[in-house]
Amino acid sequence: MPLLIKNGEIVTGSERYVADIFCEGETITRIDRNIAAPAGAEVIDAKGKYVFPGFIDPHVHIYLPFMGTFSKDTYETGSKAALVGGTTTLIEMCCPSRQDDALASFELWMSQAVGKSACDFSFHMGVTKFEADTEKQLREIVARGISSFKIFLAYKGAFGIDDTELYHTLKLAKELGVIVTAHCENETLVSERSKELLAAGKTDPGQHHESRPPAVEAEGVHHLMTFAELTGAATYIVHLSCKEALDEALAARRRGVRVNIETLIQYLLLDKTYAEKPGLEGAKYVMSPPLRDASNQAVLWNGLGSGLVNTVATDHAPFDFKTQKPMGKDDFTKIPNGIPSLEERVNLLYTYGVKTGKIDLHTFVNVASTQVAKTFDLFPRKGTIQPGSDADLVIFDPEYRGTISAKTQLMNVDYSAFEGWKLEGRANVVTVRGQVAARDGKFVGTIGYGQFLKRKPSHF
């Protein structure tokens, strides 16, 4: 059925104007004033509301075997939560262990999503080892439509790669035009500091930060930048959390190193005092890199506003508070890492970023949609509003007022890290390729409608 959205204020990463949008055959076919509705078209009046391009989360975990357990979401629950929150495309981290086969793992992750997701999706392919047959398998995965890798400079013995593997991964990425996303923490420093803290009887969730303070993240960034500079590979630092790490990335960028920078909604709004809450309460807020001192928040907001920080993601990794987080009740190194936030990223970024004047509307769209699409080879199919683009649209009501609660969320996890936080504005209607998928905070889409997005590498 054709879709006509009338009278909305269209806001992209660079433009802002009032017009109608006509969508047919999954794409936007016309943008103009006073478009007459053809017979059979669904008409939505967006007067008084913004119309944004569908938002893209560049860093999520839906299917994740990790730290002796599994993340709680499925593509059914995760894609519903994403859509209600205005996110129409997910890029998930495919994270095999060092013992797993790369190609088989890619197919496993695909099987979790195909026919089960209500929103469109793609993957960053985790490179957790580089052995004799790895290169051939990675070439095959890229040929199947993946244009980004994921590497870990942390999680020694699980996901982490050594320097020889790092070098060859970056060399291959440069040849293939693939961008390399990277978790930057020095794994040796994390390992040794953790042992020392535990030996001293310091076992509570707040010690997680002390095992990997800002200098550990900054050293990881510096390390990656050295290898990127010498190989010429394009890189993307995931979940950057602090000034020290940002300084290292920007210093490398000034030298000509190709680096994009992602931060998370959690780092913009939460600080390390949350993980220091008494008892096991702090475990809700344990993630890596950890929440930092609140002084880093202004640095990151300023980075977004100035364009130095490129994207805002979630690193969504849902683990139940009652049954999974307690795995680390006597040892912070055993707390499953992750703060679920897929559903609330867009609303929180608008409420506490745009409404407070920290960023403007164009920056809001850029960091949560357009720059993601451009970095990961989805633009202009995704990330903008123009004829020929997919009809992924978010009609956003700035007058909405509400409160976040785990009782009403669609994420399949038993707590919210933002319980009781107030919202000023939310997605009113969300479409995926022309089909209405969410309306008034309710999922009304179709499970299985989401498509795997084949991407062609461009970072040569």
Side-chain angles (χ1 to χ4, degrees):
M1 177 190 298
L3 175 68
L4 177 61
I5 298 172
K6 294 189 66 68
N7 307 313
E9 184 174 4
I10 297 169
V11 183
T12 70
S14 58
E15 297 178 291
R16 184 174 179 178
Y17 56 95
V18 175
D20 300 344
I21 304 172
F22 186 66
C23 311
E24 195 170 18
E26 301 191 355
T27 61
I28 298 168
T29 57
R30 184 183 173 197
I31 302 174
D32 206 343
R33 297 286 185 97
N34 302 315
I35 298 176
E42 179 178 1
V43 180
I44 299 174
D45 186 0
K47 186 175 182 179
K49 298 179 176 67
Y50 298 121
V51 184
F52 300 126
F55 294 98
I56 308 167
D57 195 331
H59 185 173
V60 303
H61 300 278
I62 305 297
Y63 174 72
L64 180 63
F66 187 48
M67 298 182 73
T69 188
F70 287 81
S71 55
K72 291 287 292 181
D73 268 319
T74 64
Y75 262 88
E76 182 172 338
T77 62
S79 63
K80 285 180 178 180
L83 286 164
V84 165
T87 293
T88 57
T89 296
L90 303 177
I91 309 182
E92 187 184 13
M93 299 293 178
C94 173
C95 296
S97 73
R98 286 185 65 86
Q99 289 72 45
D100 293 332
D101 178 85
L103 188 55
S105 295
F106 172 66
E107 291 171 346
L108 172 61
W109 258 259
M110 281 283 286
S111 73
Q112 302 298 313
V114 174
K116 302 173 185 177
S117 181
C119 67
D120 288 352
F121 59 91
S122 188
F123 300 95
H124 305 295
M125 184 61 216
V127 182
T128 53
K129 61 183 174 182
F130 204 101
E131 297 177 345
D133 59 346
T134 304
E135 180 176 335
K136 180 180 178 181
Q137 293 190 6
L138 291 175
R139 289 180 183 274
E140 170 65 19
I141 291 166
V142 171
R144 294 191 189 185
I146 297 299
S147 67
S148 48
F149 294 156
K150 169 67 181 292
I151 58 172
F152 292 87
L153 305 187
Y155 302 119
K156 196 170 190 174
F159 299 135
I161 57 175
D162 64 30
D163 283 352
T164 301
E165 293 169 318
L166 171 60
Y167 183 77
H168 287 292
T169 300
L170 291 173
K171 289 278 287 184
L172 178 63
K174 176 65 168 65
E175 176 193 338
L176 298 178
V178 166
I179 189 168
V180 179
T181 73
H183 179 135
C184 296
E185 292 181 294
N186 183 284
E187 63 182 15
T188 300
L189 289 172
V190 171
S191 177
E192 295 306 311
R193 289 178 65 86
S194 296
K195 292 175 186 176
E196 291 170 358
L197 288 164
L198 293 174
K202 297 179 179 180
T203 63
D204 61 272
Q207 300 304 317
H208 178 75
H209 179 277
E210 301 314 301
S211 73
R212 52 228 302 155
V216 171
E217 184 181 350
E219 198 286 324
V221 172
H222 177 84
H223 197 80
L224 176 71
M225 293 297 91
T226 300
F227 280 71
E229 185 170 17
L230 293 173
T231 59
T235 57
Y236 176 97
I237 298 170
V238 300
H239 50 44
L240 186 137
S241 72
C242 60
K243 180 182 185 299
E244 291 85 344
L246 180 61
D247 287 345
E248 290 288 350
L250 295 179
R253 187 182 283 172
R254 288 191 293 270
R255 300 196 305 271
V257 178
R258 302 163 68 190
V259 56
N260 284 275
I261 301 166
E262 164 196 289
T263 193
L264 305 182
I265 192 67
Q266 297 93 311
Y267 299 138
L268 294 168
L269 300 178
L270 304 173
D271 63 65
K272 71 187 186 75
T273 62
Y274 285 82
E276 294 167 351
K277 290 185 175 186
L280 195 62
E281 188 72 13
K284 292 178 178 178
Y285 302 93
V286 168
M287 62 184 298
S288 297
L291 297 174
R292 301 299 189 187
D293 184 87
S295 61
N296 290 283
Q297 293 175 358
V299 174
L300 296 173
W301 281 114
N302 289 337
L304 291 170
S306 64
L308 296 176
V309 178
N310 306 97
T311 59
V312 175
T314 61
D315 191 13
H316 175 69
F319 296 101
D320 275 344
F321 175 61
K322 292 180 180 177
T323 60
Q324 293 175 300
K325 292 287 187 175
M327 293 167 65
K329 64 182 177 64
D330 299 316
D331 180 347
F332 67 85
T333 67
K334 296 179 180 178
I335 299 171
N337 282 206
I339 298 178
S341 50
L342 172 61
E343 192 167 341
E344 303 299 348
R345 175 187 64 130
V346 171
N347 296 336
L348 287 167
L349 189 62
Y350 179 84
T351 299
Y352 296 96
V354 176
K355 291 290 289 183
T356 60
K358 293 183 177 70
I359 57 173
D360 62 23
L361 279 172
H362 298 302
T363 299
F364 170 65
V365 173
N366 261 316
V367 300
S369 181
T370 307
Q371 291 306 315
V372 180
K374 289 181 175 179
T375 301
F376 295 114
D377 306 307
L378 291 170
F379 189 86
R381 179 178 178 183
K382 308 289 189 183
T384 191
I385 298 175
Q386 65 184 49
S389 296
D390 283 358
D392 296 354
L393 300 165
V394 176
I395 301 172
F396 193 90
D397 182 4
E399 299 304 317
Y400 171 82
R401 298 294 182 268
T403 303
I404 295 173
S405 173
K407 293 179 181 179
T408 56
Q409 70 188 14
L410 295 183
M411 297 180 294
N412 187 36
V413 64
D414 66 1
Y415 78 99
S416 171
F418 298 95
E419 186 72 36
W421 284 52
K422 303 299 182 183
L423 294 178
E424 297 185 17
R426 75 166 181 188
N428 174 244
V429 177
V430 181
T431 71
V432 179
R433 287 179 284 109
Q435 183 187 93
V436 175
R439 195 188 299 269
D440 297 322
K442 305 294 184 184
F443 174 75
V444 297
T446 303
I447 296 299
Y449 184 72
Q451 291 184 350
F452 169 62
L453 301 172
K454 292 184 176 181
R455 298 178 288 133
K456 185 176 181 180
S458 63
H459 296 273
F460 293 97

